[in-house]
Amino acid sequence: MQTLTIKIKDKLVAEVMNALEQFKGNIQITKDKSLELDPYFYERQDKLHKIMDKDSSNLTDFEDFEIKMDNLEKELEEKYAN
C-alpha cells in the first residue's frame, strides 16, 4: 500500500470524490489532521521556507562574525580611548 497526498481545489472536491467512489474497496481517504487543527499550516510553512531560503544566503558563519566583532571592538576602543 502507498500513501499519496493530493491537493484539490475546493470546487473540485465533490467531483474527485465521486470519481474515486468506484475504488472505495481498494483505497482509504482521510483528512489531514494538521489541517483540522490549523487550516493555514501549509501556507505558513511555505512562507517560512521562503523566508529561511532567502535569509540563509545572507548569513555568515560564526568565525566570520567573531572577526568582525573583534574588529569593531578595537575600532571603538581606539575611537573612544582619548
Side-chain angles (χ1 to χ4, degrees):
M1 184 173 255
Q2 294 183 17
T3 301
L4 303 173
T5 300
I6 301 172
K7 293 183 180 182
I8 305 170
K9 292 185 178 187
D10 290 339
K11 64 183 180 180
L12 296 175
V13 171
E15 200 172 317
V16 171
M17 294 302 286
N18 287 336
L20 293 174
E21 184 67 26
Q22 63 181 322
F23 302 107
K24 67 182 177 182
N26 295 313
I27 63 172
Q28 177 183 4
I29 299 173
T30 57
K31 288 186 175 183
D32 187 334
K33 296 205 187 271
S34 296
L35 292 177
E36 289 179 17
L37 298 172
D38 181 2
Y40 301 102
F41 172 79
Y42 291 107
E43 288 87 350
R44 289 185 300 109
Q45 182 184 45
D46 187 46
K47 286 180 185 177
L48 180 60
H49 284 264
K50 286 178 183 175
I51 289 169
M52 291 174 65
D53 290 343
K54 179 181 171 186
D55 288 346
S56 66
S57 62
N58 296 327
L59 297 177
T60 59
D61 64 2
F62 189 71
E63 287 181 10
D64 188 36
F65 172 78
E66 282 186 312
I67 292 168
K68 288 178 181 178
M69 290 308 295
D70 287 343
N71 290 339
L72 176 61
E73 186 178 348
K74 289 176 187 175
E75 182 181 322
L76 291 172
E77 285 175 355
E78 290 173 6
K79 185 174 183 176
Y80 293 104
N82 297 331

